[in-house]
Amino acid sequence: MTVLIIGGGAAGLMAAITAKRTDPAAEVVIAERLDRVGKKILATGNGRCNFSNINTKPVNYYGKRPSFVNNALKEFTVADTVNFFNGIGVFPREERDGRLYPYSLQASAVLDALRNECEKLEITVLSGKSVKEISVKKGSLRAVFENGERLRADSIILAAGGCASPALGSDGSGYEILKKLGHTITPLSPALVQVKTDTAPIKGLSGIKIEGTATLIKGEKVLDSDSGEILFTDYGLSGPPIFQLSAKMPFKKDIFIALDFMAEYSLRQVFDILEGRKKALDGMTMEYFFTGLLNKRLGNLISRAAGIEKLSFSVSALDKDLLWRLAGLIKEYKIKVTGLNGFKNAQVTAGGALTDEFSPYTMQSKFIKGLYCCGEILDIHGDCGGYNLQWAWSSGYIAGKNAVLSEQENYEKQQ
Ligand SMILES: Cc1cc2nc3c(=O)[nH]c(=O)nc-3n(C[C@H](O)[C@H](O)[C@H](O)COP(=O)(O)OP(=O)(O)OC[C@H]3O[C@@H](n4cnc5c(N)ncnc54)[C@H](O)[C@@H]3O)c2cc1C
């Protein structure tokens, strides 16, 4: 039996390893369009690879039919993922909000472990091989490569990813392959992506990272909120809480992000802190008022936004009104959203292969026997925080396990 996996990303590597472990006699081949497998894995989690999250639940996933994830997450759980990685040498480290990383905090460790396991299992890796279509003739499957070569396989697992970050391999070609086979692709849009904002209120802050809370607001309505590391850029905002909000951002006018720079304190408490500093720093100028409390550039910006034009302004001249204004800006610094960055910078794709056309128990196409899909190519995307890789592992596991089953066994499972 020959199983061909198209795409050597997270889902494809997991599918290949699972197929070979399930049926050691099977010939398992990965075709990867880039010069090496797993390039995107190296970029995940800021180079640290947030490979899962202990809080993973179906509610963390989106798509036309998010319940499609239920079976895969039950059959290959977060605990199974941790065991799997432990078994190939990746010891886990838990960080904030249940995010799991390799203990060494190196994404390369995750990729090395996966590649070593592929080598140990004698999985064939064909790199620099881009598949342009799958031909189905009399029930027999063949992958057709860009250079015209063909490869016959009993099962094909399409794990070509979506359109996010095409420089890391996923250029959307998987969708074209599926469309030619009659599958439906739901509308595609970038998700978990940086946000473009009015740059005037953040002028001079590019490159600064802060810990805070970002709240998405439209008019008086709070749409969503998330906390963590927020990065100021020359076009707007980035960082996990911003990615998270980007997925919930309606493309409407008058959307703002309000930043809270001292989220653990109430407005009253921030006012009291500032009043205490006024006493302690008597005789100094505004240039030093925020030193040790906020990033200096951010402090200067907040002073200006409160109407204090000159940094030579004396701290002792801060009246109650000004202190309240400063406290208010620290607790709610509003920035107008002007748009989202595109697929080039997005972490994931919202939309993809319509899941109604695949079995959630096997990941097999309901139209073409022997064709399986897993990972981001399917119309499923998750929250920021390790959920997308967990989907790649869980769905890759199911596809790999079922791709080596006989037609009859698969038929029975799909019923
Ligand atoms: C910068 C960045 C950081 C991220 N950080 C995290 C994180 O910390 N935690 C998390 O959970 N998620 C993270 N994600 C999302 C996560 O990486 C993806 O959801 C996940 O990698 C998807 O896995 P996949 O195997 O389905 O697709 P991909 O990883 O995109 O792999 C698809 C593979 O298929 C290959 N391919 C495509 N078309 C063809 C073809 N026609 N022929 C042959 N090969 C083909 C590609 O080259 C690629 O190697 C991040 C994404 C990015 C871009």
Side-chain angles (χ1 to χ4, degrees):
M1 155 139 220
T2 303
V3 181
L4 172 68
I5 291 118
I6 302 174
L13 290 167
M14 175 56 91
I17 291 169
T18 308
K20 190 71 182 179
R21 283 181 177 182
T22 309
D23 179 2
E27 193 193 350
V28 178
V29 181
I30 298 174
E32 165 56 50
R33 64 180 281 267
L34 296 184
D35 57 349
R36 54 178 292 185
V37 296
K39 275 207 171 157
K40 194 178 281 175
I41 294 174
L42 294 177
T44 57
N46 270 332
R48 306 186 329 156
C49 188
N50 173 199
F51 70 88
S52 182
N53 193 303
I54 58 159
N55 300 317
T56 303
K57 290 191 187 72
V59 291
N60 297 114
Y61 294 91
Y62 312 92
K64 203 152 185 240
R65 188 160 63 97
S67 61
F68 185 81
V69 304
N70 293 3
N71 179 66
L73 295 181
K74 245 188 260 160
E75 214 179 316
F76 194 76
T77 62
V78 174
D80 294 326
T81 304
V82 169
N83 283 340
F84 169 84
F85 278 107
N86 234 332
I88 57 171
V90 180
F91 191 74
R93 176 195 290 264
E94 187 185 325
E95 291 207 350
R96 193 171 63 187
D97 302 329
R99 292 165 193 238
L100 295 173
Y101 294 85
Y103 203 80
S104 62
L105 294 177
Q106 287 172 300
S108 57
V110 173
L111 181 57
D112 283 348
L114 290 165
R115 289 175 62 207
N116 289 342
E117 186 64 11
C118 285
E119 214 174 299
K120 186 172 125 194
L121 293 169
E122 296 180 353
I123 291 166
T124 306
V125 176
L126 306 173
S127 46
K129 289 274 189 188
S130 184
V131 174
K132 70 169 185 197
E133 66 177 274
I134 294 171
S135 83
V136 190
K137 276 197 192 121
K138 293 186 193 145
S140 166
L141 298 176
R142 275 182 178 73
V144 183
F145 293 94
E146 288 292 350
N147 64 3
E149 281 172 17
R150 288 165 177 258
L151 191 71
R152 201 203 70 78
D154 300 288
S155 301
I156 293 187
I157 301 175
L158 187 55
C163 314
S165 292
L168 300 170
S170 47
D171 61 352
S173 51
Y175 299 133
E176 299 309 313
I177 294 173
L178 282 178
K179 273 197 237 166
K180 280 187 207 156
L181 294 171
H183 274 290
T184 312
I185 305 300
T186 64
L188 306 170
S189 60
L192 303 189
V193 68
Q194 300 88 344
V195 169
K196 292 185 195 162
T197 68
D198 177 3
T199 50
I202 55 167
K203 199 160 183 260
L205 296 187
S206 181
I208 290 179
K209 281 181 187 165
I210 56 123
E211 281 292 321
T213 297
T215 303
L216 194 63
I217 31 186
K218 181 171 168 58
E220 295 297 300
K221 204 171 160 206
V222 169
L223 300 178
D224 200 6
S225 184
D226 201 31
S227 304
E229 192 178 77
I230 297 162
L231 171 69
F232 293 94
T233 67
D234 48 6
Y235 54 78
L237 300 169
S238 181
I242 303 299
F243 289 145
Q244 188 59 26
L245 296 186
S246 74
K248 315 230 171 107
M249 209 166 285
F251 290 94
K252 286 181 191 151
K253 283 186 189 157
D254 304 326
I255 301 273
F256 287 82
I257 286 181
L259 298 179
D260 183 346
F261 302 115
M262 291 181 72
E264 336 57 336
Y265 296 97
S266 67
L267 178 63
R268 172 80 231 188
Q269 285 172 320
V270 173
F271 174 82
D272 290 344
I273 291 168
L274 297 187
E275 203 173 37
R277 291 175 79 82
K278 180 190 160 178
K279 285 189 194 114
L281 303 175
D282 190 30
M284 298 217 180
T285 64
M286 283 309 282
E287 194 176 355
Y288 300 103
F289 185 62
F290 288 111
T291 308
L293 184 71
L294 297 179
N295 178 289
K296 194 170 175 145
R297 280 194 271 160
L298 177 61
N300 292 347
L301 195 93
I302 284 177
S303 296
R304 272 201 302 279
I308 302 167
E309 286 303 327
K310 294 212 167 99
L311 292 176
S312 55
F313 188 89
S314 168
V315 167
S316 52
L318 287 170
D319 58 17
K320 276 205 172 2
D321 254 17
L322 264 178
L323 287 174
W324 274 117
R325 224 180 298 157
L326 290 169
L329 286 162
I330 289 174
K331 288 298 292 171
E332 193 187 61
Y333 194 78
K334 272 169 110 179
I335 306 163
K336 192 174 188 341
V337 173
T338 56
L340 295 176
N341 264 353
F343 277 118
K344 195 174 157 208
N345 299 296
Q347 290 203 352
V348 291
T349 311
L354 183 65
T355 50
D356 286 345
E357 298 172 359
F358 292 83
S359 160
Y361 304 105
T362 61
M363 300 289 147
Q364 185 169 204
S365 158
K366 289 182 180 169
F367 303 165
I368 296 152
K369 271 198 212 114
L371 174 68
Y372 299 76
C373 275
C374 55
E376 201 177 308
I377 192 167
L378 288 161
D379 174 21
I380 291 292
H381 70 282
D383 283 330
C384 184
Y387 301 97
N388 285 293
L389 281 173
Q390 183 58 53
W391 169 242
W393 313 131
S394 292
S395 58
Y397 172 86
I398 305 285
K401 186 173 149 200
N402 289 286
V404 290
L405 294 184
S406 70
E407 210 175 285
Q408 180 59 28
E409 285 168 313
N410 240 316
Y411 174 79
E412 283 161 12
K413 269 196 101 168
Q414 228 156 283
Q415 299 314 299

